[in-house]
Amino acid sequence: PFGLAGLKQSMTWVDPVVGARITWDFRNRWGVVVDGDVGGFGVASDLTWRVRATVGYRFSKLFTLHAGWILIDTDYTDGVGPSRFVWDVLQSGPVLAASFSF
């Protein structure tokens, strides 16, 4: 539509990333997990980061269900002129996960 048919761009890049995770377990089977990472440092993207916070309920020693929120941001630019590629995006939304521990 609008004269943009066939317009495609794709890009692949690799960034160094460091992260951390904090877990709080409560006696009544509930727990909170906050984790995140940061990277890029100008190697490929200028900056990339992710933060996730979840609340979990442990149904058994093996199975936990988590629900929470995640934010992911990436700032990447490559090229000049018509071949310039820009990916400067903040994504945010709910997350639902199940974990199996053994």
Side-chain angles (χ1 to χ4, degrees), residues 2 6-7 9-10 13 15 28 31 34 39 44 51 55 59 61 64 66-67 69 75 87 90 101:
F2 310 110
L7 179 64
Q9 278 192 323
S10 67
W13 65 92
D15 280 321
N28 58 357
V34 177
V51 176
V55 174
F59 289 93
K61 289 182 181 180
T64 305
H66 307 268
W69 201 262
D75 182 7
W87 184 263
L90 172 63
S101 304

Side-chain angles (χ1 to χ4, degrees), residues 44 52 54:
R52 177 179 54 189
T54 61

Side-chain angles (χ1 to χ4, degrees), residues 31-82:
V32 173
V33 177
V34 177
D35 63 356
D37 54 57
V38 64
F41 312 112
V43 173
S45 64
D46 293 330
L47 180 68
T48 181
W49 59 267
R50 178 191 60 84
V51 176
R52 177 179 54 189
T54 61
V55 174
Y57 182 78
R58 187 178 325 106
F59 289 93
S60 68
K61 289 182 181 180
L62 301 176
F63 181 73
T64 305
L65 187 62
H66 307 268
W69 201 262
I70 189 168
L71 293 114
I72 304 170
D73 185 77
T74 303
D75 182 7
Y76 176 83
T77 304
D78 187 45
V80 293

